[in-house]
Every structure is written in C-alpha cells, then in structure tokens.
Amino acid sequence: MPTSNINEQKPLIFDASFLQNQSNIPQEFIWPDEEKPCIEPPPLLHVPYIDLKGFFSGDPILVSNTIELVKQACLKHGFFLVINHGIDSQLVKFAHQSMDFFFEKPLFEKLRAKRKVDDHCGYASSFTNRFSSKLPWKETLSFRYCDDVHTSNIVESYFLNVMGEDFRQFGRVYQEYCEAVSNLSLKVMEVLGSSLGVGPKYFREFFEGNESIMRLNYYPSCQKPHLTLGTGPHCDPTSLTVLHQDHVGGLEVFVDGKWHSIPPDPLAFVVNIGDTFMALSNGIYKSCLHRAIVNCTSPRKSLAFFLCPKRDKIVKPPKELVSFDNPRMYPDFAWPTFLEFTQRHYRADMKTLDAFVDWLRRRRCKEDSHDQEIATSLLNN
C-alpha cells in the first residue's frame, strides 16, 4: 500500500485571528529585501486637493485651477485627493463599520464567500490559492457593482445569495455606497476629460453604465511588519480607483524614485489613475504605482472602488489624443480581456499593461496565423 508523505507540506491558510499574534511569520509572507518596507518612515507626498464643488460651481477661475491641478498630478504620478465630493459622511462611516461585521467572523464563516478560481470577486485570505510567494498580509472581500437600472440591487442580492439573511443590511450599506462612489467617479471623469482637452462629457459617457468592482481591504496587525507588505507594489489594471482610508496610515506612492506616504484624511477620497485609463489617455496620464504597509499595533481598513467600463466597451483613446507627436501607444482592447489576463496569466505589478499588450499582440498573431492556415487549406481544397 502506498504511504503518505509525512513531509508533504500542508496548504497555507491565512487565519488573521491566529497569525496577527505570531512572532514568526510564514516564509511565504516575507518579501525580498529590495521590496521590503522602508526602515525610516517615508516622506509625505504633497498631493493636490481637488475641490469638486469649485469645479462644478461654474466659476471660471476655480474650474481652470482645478483642471490644472489634476493635469499636473496625472502627468507626474496619477494621484490626487478629492474633497467636497457630496458623499454623506455617515454613509462612509457605516461602510467602514460594516467591514468589522464580516472580517471579525471566524474563518470558516468568511469562507462561505470564498473567491472561486479565475474569478475576481469573493473572499480571499491573502490570495494563498493564487500565489506561493510574496503573499500580501491582508484579507479582501470583492464584489461586482453595475450602474444599470436592470441590476439596481446587484450588491444586496449578492450578499443575500452568498451569506444569507443576516447580511441583508450589510448588502444594503454597500449597495448605497457603490452607487454614491460610482456617481463620484463619473464626476471625476468630467474633470479628467476637461483636463485632457476632450471636454467633460467624453469619459463620463464612456463610463456610464459602468460594471465596476468594489473591494473591502482588511490588513491585520503583524508582529514583523518590516518583513512583509499589505499589498505589493503595483498599478491598478482598472480605470480609476476611488479609495477611502480609515484612520490608520499605510498607503504609499512611488514618486521621483522613492516611496512617499499618504496620511489618511476622513474628508477626502484618494483617487488614482489605473492602467486602463492610461490606455484611454494614450499614455498621456500615468497609472499610479503604490503599495500598502502594515504595522504591529492596529489593523487597517480601506474601501476601494475600481471603476471599470461596460463589458462591451472598446478601450481606445479619443482621436484628439492621437497625433504625429503622440502616436497610438496601445492596441484596442476590451476590459474583460485585460481582466482575464490579470486573473489567469499575470500577477499585477508595475508593468502589467506592457505585459498585457505583449501577450495580446502575440495572441492576435497566433489567431491571424491560424486564420491564414484555414484560408490556405480551403483554397487548396
């Protein structure tokens, strides 16, 4: 009879309630020396506060100043803060508080919403089912949102179906939160369109009816925070990220060759450009390279809304952003193809868009070659 291998390694399980108190963390969470957190606290990044109330006031001076601030930020690093955004502070408070209702539950209960293979939604405990090294010290709960009248309760329905009646109110909170942040994202798109010279309507209309992703991030405390990262360095493959941090700092942005910290501000939403919008802007605006660190005393939470176009939209820049001096940088693509690439073929990092373009071109070459072979065969027969 075959005998079991007593040295066979058990699958790694990230149980925050246990690991956050351990003085020795598993090797899989230890990052390479060149990627570990800064020993000294990084400098603060001075980023512009974008006053949406001023932009929509119609005052030409306020509008002009807002457009210029956004333009300079997006040309350099793709990162800014939004204030006077119109989202109820109580709704934001409830959204943060509701995270505890889920993440403080035992692991076996959270696993009821476990993320399926090749899916981008559901519960993930440090992505242990996807990666074997450089694991992030975090848990996430991701779910779909659709800005469409035919799917008006998609978030609430998801939690009722997956987690049951106890999560009805939980779902309602995030349904309302997603609706509010989706509307905010469309307003930001008006600012971005104006700053790129294509007018306020172009990108807003492109993202109306968006099929986006909401993610709840929970970063447990860690007894060896200098060895690991909550989230590794990466640019978001999505179009726009609208983030709200809790009171615990941890977000860092890479600018001018070094990391900078972004202190939390309860009145502001963090906004950063993603790879898909970089492609929409024909490379004019830069996707933001960022990461998250953890600490040994307090868990950290954040609410991340990833704006994505409808599945049938083709990502290509408006003709006004293509010229002899700035020719097309990226081929046309559909967002679901890019999403599939990040789920099946490539772990998001600072070069995701370039890697996707290389993969897409190779795939299209193979398809063209295959079509040519079929055509030749038909002609010969």
Side-chain angles (χ1 to χ4, degrees):
M1 286 182 64
T3 57
S4 61
N5 184 356
I6 60 174
N7 295 319
E8 185 176 332
Q9 189 173 8
K10 294 181 179 179
L12 180 65
I13 297 174
F14 184 77
D15 187 346
S17 63
F18 171 74
L19 286 175
Q20 65 185 352
N21 299 314
Q22 299 304 300
S23 57
N24 292 316
I25 66 176
Q27 183 66 35
E28 292 88 343
F29 293 94
I30 298 177
W31 286 63
D33 290 342
E34 65 273 14
E35 296 185 65
K36 286 174 182 171
C38 309
I39 297 176
E40 297 294 329
L44 301 181
L45 180 65
H46 298 288
V47 291
Y49 278 82
I50 304 306
D51 186 345
L52 284 188
K53 186 176 181 180
F55 177 79
F56 287 102
S57 68
D59 184 313
I61 295 178
L62 293 177
V63 172
S64 177
N65 288 344
T66 300
I67 288 173
E68 186 60 26
L69 284 172
V70 167
K71 183 176 182 178
Q72 293 306 316
C74 292
L75 287 172
K76 185 171 185 179
H77 49 63
F79 184 92
F80 53 91
L81 302 172
V82 170
I83 57 173
N84 290 326
H85 40 71
I87 297 181
D88 187 350
S89 60
Q90 283 298 107
L91 176 59
V92 177
K93 180 181 178 180
F94 289 151
H96 276 290
Q97 290 176 341
S98 296
M99 290 179 69
D100 294 334
F101 182 71
F102 179 84
F103 287 109
E104 290 182 356
K105 290 191 176 299
L107 181 60
F108 75 90
E109 286 195 44
K110 290 182 282 191
L111 288 174
R112 287 161 56 191
K114 185 179 179 180
R115 178 177 179 164
K116 295 181 174 61
V117 176
D118 292 336
D119 195 359
H120 61 279
C121 289
Y123 169 71
S125 56
S126 191
F127 302 114
T128 54
N129 63 326
R130 294 187 65 201
F131 311 124
S132 58
S133 64
K134 298 199 299 185
L135 292 179
W137 193 267
K138 69 175 179 179
E139 299 175 277
T140 62
L141 179 61
S142 307
F143 44 94
R144 295 172 180 84
Y145 170 75
C146 187
D147 178 34
D148 187 284
V149 292
H150 301 297
T151 54
S152 58
N153 291 313
I154 185 173
V155 177
E156 184 177 347
S157 296
Y158 170 78
F159 284 108
L160 274 174
N161 293 334
V162 173
M163 299 299 291
E165 183 64 34
D166 289 347
F167 276 77
R168 180 182 293 275
Q169 182 59 30
F170 184 89
R172 285 176 177 168
V173 168
Y174 291 113
Q175 179 73 48
E176 186 178 352
Y177 182 86
C178 286
E179 290 168 359
V181 182
S182 174
N183 289 332
L184 170 58
S185 301
L186 296 179
K187 292 178 181 178
V188 172
M189 281 297 162
E190 292 192 45
V191 182
L192 291 171
S194 299
S195 70
L196 281 164
V198 299
K201 292 184 179 180
Y202 186 91
F203 291 119
R204 181 187 177 99
E205 291 177 352
F206 185 85
F207 284 98
E208 285 177 345
N210 64 83
E211 298 179 31
S212 297
I213 304 166
M214 181 71 206
R215 177 171 295 167
L216 313 181
N217 295 308
Y218 181 79
Y219 302 91
S221 57
C222 177
Q223 299 306 307
K224 296 290 178 64
H226 58 287
L227 298 179
T228 190
L229 287 170
T231 302
H234 70 287
C235 297
D236 294 330
T238 48
S239 298
L240 195 74
T241 302
V242 181
L243 179 86
H244 197 277
Q245 305 186 76
D246 68 359
H247 64 285
V248 181
L251 178 61
E252 296 184 351
V253 175
F254 195 75
V255 182
D256 293 332
K258 59 184 177 182
W259 290 101
H260 296 72
S261 65
I262 308 298
D265 183 340
L267 299 179
F269 280 86
V270 174
V271 175
N272 69 262
I273 300 297
D275 286 339
T276 299
F277 193 82
M278 184 162 67
L280 277 170
S281 74
N282 198 30
I284 296 173
Y285 282 178
K286 309 304 177 187
S287 53
C288 176
L289 179 58
H290 57 286
R291 69 181 186 183
I293 62 170
V294 294
N295 65 80
C296 61
T297 57
S298 302
R300 175 178 176 262
K301 295 175 290 184
S302 67
L303 302 158
F305 182 87
F306 300 105
L307 182 70
C308 309
K310 290 179 68 174
R311 298 180 66 83
D312 60 354
K313 293 281 188 179
I314 300 300
V315 177
K316 61 180 179 180
K319 61 182 185 300
E320 294 90 339
L321 303 183
V322 181
S323 65
F324 178 80
D325 294 326
N326 192 45
R328 283 291 301 271
M329 290 190 64
Y330 309 102
D332 294 357
F333 62 88
W335 159 243
T337 306
F338 193 10
L339 179 61
E340 176 193 356
F341 174 74
T342 62
Q343 298 303 303
R344 294 189 177 185
H345 306 290
Y346 195 86
R347 180 176 183 173
D349 59 15
M350 61 286 289
K351 299 178 180 178
T352 309
L353 184 57
D354 290 338
F356 168 67
V357 168
D358 290 342
W359 173 83
L360 186 63
R361 286 174 173 156
R362 289 196 304 270
R363 192 174 81 163
R364 288 176 177 173
C365 283
K366 288 181 180 178
E367 290 172 350
D368 290 344
S369 177
H370 180 65
D371 291 344
Q372 184 62 42
E373 288 177 3
I374 293 175
T376 302
S377 176
L378 291 172
L379 286 172
N380 291 337
N381 292 330

